[in-house]
Amino acid sequence: MKFSAVVLIVPDEDENRAVEILKEAGATGITILKGKGLRHNERKTFLGLGLERKESLLLSVVEKQLSMRILRAVKMQMKMDLPGGGLAFSLPLGSVVGIGLAQMQAFQREVEEDL
């Protein structure tokens, strides 16, 4: 079985919606990291401080075929095309350790449903 890492970077206020979309599309586990985003056209406040946007990075390791289903669901249900809407991508993984048998079986069922 081949795996991919699906990464979503979304505005903090869209985190819960992104988690639901990932779960509905077949992700069985999600790691969430908090961060701040800066844009290339950063504006200054009257104190001379930059405006930083709070963002959430969602990471999920899924079976390779599920990654495309997840990205399609994210594209359809979230406003990724709009400025500040977020970013989603997947990366192929060469080796993965730590995925249990139950999770592997869940991936197998999800992939079989698509066939």
Side-chain angles (χ1 to χ4, degrees):
M1 195 174 275
K2 295 186 179 189
F3 295 96
S4 291
V6 175
V7 180
L8 273 67
I9 303 170
V10 297
D12 206 34
E13 59 270 12
D14 292 340
E15 176 187 305
N16 291 333
R17 195 162 127 233
V19 166
E20 288 306 313
I21 293 167
L22 284 170
K23 286 181 180 179
E24 288 172 9
T28 57
I30 303 164
T31 299
I32 301 172
L33 304 170
K34 301 290 187 175
K36 295 182 220 173
L38 298 174
R39 298 185 193 164
H40 65 81
N41 57 352
E42 177 185 357
R43 290 186 237 163
K44 301 280 184 180
T45 65
F46 69 97
L47 298 175
L49 301 173
L51 295 173
E52 297 173 338
R53 183 174 94 158
K54 291 183 181 179
E55 295 182 333
S56 296
L57 184 142
L58 289 75
L59 171 65
S60 186
V61 175
V62 298
E63 202 282 330
K64 186 178 178 181
Q65 292 178 11
L66 289 178
S67 66
M68 286 310 298
R69 182 201 309 178
I70 291 170
L71 289 176
R72 277 193 303 271
V74 167
K75 181 181 178 184
M76 288 175 32
Q77 298 180 43
M78 299 193 72
K79 300 171 186 164
M80 294 278 176
D81 339 3
L82 299 177
L87 179 68
F89 57 92
S90 68
L91 299 167
L93 300 176
S95 302
V96 177
V97 176
I99 295 181
L101 181 59
Q103 197 169 11
M104 294 281 277
Q105 291 170 337
F107 287 147
Q108 188 70 33
R109 282 190 302 275
E110 291 287 337
V111 169
E112 287 172 356
E113 285 177 10
D114 280 351
L115 297 177

